[in-house]
Amino acid sequence: MPIRTTVVGSWPIPFGQRLELKRYYAGELTDEQADGVLRTAARIAMDEQIACGLDQIMGGEVFAPDFLHHIPPRLDGLETLAPRITSQGQQGVGRYRVIGKVTAPRGTGHAKAWRRERAIEPRLDKASVPSPLTIGGGFVIDDERSESGHMNDLIEVVQDEIADMVANGLSEVQLDAPSEAVSLVSEARAADELLPLIREPLAPASGVTRTIHFCLGDIARKPSIEVQNLRALIPFIQQLDGVVERVHVECSYSGQWEEHGLLAELPDSMQIIAGIADVKSKPAPVTELREKIEQLVDIIPPERLLVSTSCGAGRVPHDEAIRLMRNLVKAAEMFS
């Protein structure tokens, strides 16, 4: 059985659309005013993925070039303490004070993007949205407020996005959960605390494929934590049996790959997307990727295995992203 290939979400911004997109990112254009350039950019991003030979494409997240950092400015109930400064990487993450109920009257942009991109590419069947904990990572709360308050608000925000996408033909939804992965690896939060923050946002996705993506963050192509392993994630993923049908795990760091055998301990009900194509380094050659796939099929039945990039390719130089995807596809095709 051939090994299927997929992507995490983001794709490099098409060069010819950058000037107009920068106006949109800066807030100079509304969603409606930018509709044309967003359609063109998404069409290019998807065409490039199709040309690479991927079995499953995504919309490219051209509306969100910096993962989730466009979301807080779209939300009500927040006061900006420090805006996001992209050029400063990890040090330039935005900070926001919760001053009331957190709502998204304009949405987070993900459901709007799904409707726009699905209309121009029938092959598109999957979209993603960040988890509530990940969206709220830069939020500051006053002493009299509790985290659970705005977490419940953010759960509703994510539920609304997912419900909108499902109602408009979505077949697979991916919850991007780097904050949960970092919390588990760093032992900052217990699995029991995190489980509702995954289960509840996905509630509107009943009847479609539910996927979760775990990585250790990727700001300026750098991780959010120095400790990198899989063993901290496995017990939590086992608890997601019945909550998700697919789990995407970053397998690009040496500490993670050394423990890839632990993936055999995941429930048979789950398909596994192994992020073996590292987006934080130069494109791996076909031979290296093929060897990793060979080791994966020794422990995971081919019908349950997909291979992918470790994280979104949106921060990868354009030519490198294309080469990385082509190499991954070539490596997977050798198992046909």
Side-chain angles (χ1 to χ4, degrees):
M1 180 176 180
I3 305 300
R4 294 159 292 170
T5 53
T6 185
V7 286
V8 174
S10 65
W11 190 255
I13 300 300
F15 183 79
Q17 311 303 315
R18 288 184 182 182
L19 288 179
E20 279 298 287
L21 286 173
K22 281 185 177 180
R23 293 185 61 204
Y24 173 65
Y25 303 149
E28 297 174 11
L29 300 176
T30 65
D31 292 340
E32 292 69 29
Q33 291 170 330
D35 184 73
V37 67
L38 289 171
R39 286 177 182 272
T40 300
R43 177 72 271 173
I44 294 171
M46 290 187 286
D47 280 345
E48 289 177 343
Q49 294 173 52
I50 291 170
C52 287
L54 287 163
D55 294 303
Q56 183 183 51
I57 64 170
M58 292 184 71
E61 296 183 5
V62 295
F63 68 98
D66 199 17
F67 183 36
L68 59 80
H69 299 287
H70 73 286
I71 297 178
R74 297 176 71 101
L75 303 179
D76 287 350
L78 300 178
E79 174 190 7
T80 301
L81 300 177
R84 167 68 169 145
I85 302 176
T86 306
S87 61
Q88 295 183 8
Q90 296 275 6
Q91 287 68 44
V93 172
R95 295 177 63 250
Y96 308 89
R97 176 179 287 116
V98 179
I99 58 174
K101 180 174 177 59
V102 180
T103 61
R106 296 185 293 143
T108 66
H110 294 80
K112 285 184 177 180
W114 163 256
R115 295 196 300 271
R116 180 171 56 242
E117 293 156 4
R118 172 70 171 181
I120 62 176
E121 178 46 63
R123 278 188 51 176
L124 187 66
D125 64 357
K126 177 182 179 181
S128 65
V129 63
S131 70
L133 187 65
T134 299
I135 294 173
F139 291 8
V140 175
I141 54 177
D142 296 328
D143 292 341
E144 64 269 18
R145 296 180 182 271
S146 67
E147 182 188 54
S148 61
H150 74 262
M151 274 299 113
N152 289 334
D153 294 343
L154 290 175
I155 287 172
E156 292 182 11
V157 167
V158 174
Q159 285 178 333
D160 288 345
E161 292 295 302
I162 292 176
D164 189 323
M165 292 189 283
V166 171
N168 284 280
L170 185 75
S171 297
E172 179 178 352
V173 62
Q174 175 178 287
L175 195 66
D176 292 327
S179 290
E180 286 81 352
V182 170
S183 294
L184 289 166
V185 173
S186 65
E187 300 182 347
R189 294 177 186 259
D192 289 346
E193 179 185 357
L194 295 174
L195 188 59
L197 300 180
I198 299 298
R199 183 179 59 240
E200 293 178 20
L202 288 171
S206 176
V208 306
T209 299
R210 298 164 296 182
T211 299
I212 188 163
H213 167 53
F214 289 119
C215 73
L216 298 180
D218 181 10
I219 300 178
R221 302 182 76 183
K222 295 180 180 179
S224 300
I225 185 173
E226 294 302 319
V227 179
Q228 294 133 10
N229 62 56
L230 287 181
R231 62 182 178 275
L233 302 180
I234 300 302
F236 181 66
I237 297 174
Q238 290 170 334
Q239 292 186 54
L240 295 178
D241 190 11
V243 177
V244 299
E245 286 74 42
R246 285 182 174 176
V247 56
H248 184 296
V249 287
E250 185 180 43
C251 294
S252 56
Y253 295 110
S254 59
Q256 295 170 326
W257 183 249
E258 287 172 3
E259 298 179 346
H260 75 274
L262 296 175
L263 297 175
E265 300 179 9
L266 297 184
D268 292 341
S269 63
M270 294 181 186
Q271 294 187 357
I272 299 169
I273 308 174
I276 60 173
D278 186 15
V279 298
K280 300 181 182 68
S281 59
K282 293 293 183 180
V286 174
T287 53
E288 178 183 323
L289 294 169
R290 184 177 66 243
E291 289 172 1
K292 288 190 172 182
I293 296 175
E294 287 175 346
Q295 294 180 57
L296 287 167
V297 296
D298 283 341
I299 61 170
I300 303 168
E303 64 271 16
R304 288 180 55 215
L305 177 64
L306 298 89
V307 291
S308 174
T309 50
S310 58
C311 197
R315 292 159 293 282
V316 180
H318 213 132
D319 60 334
E320 291 188 12
I322 290 173
R323 188 161 10 116
L324 183 62
M325 286 290 88
R326 284 179 174 172
N327 288 355
L328 182 67
V329 169
K330 288 179 181 178
E333 285 176 344
M334 294 179 180
F335 294 83
S336 300

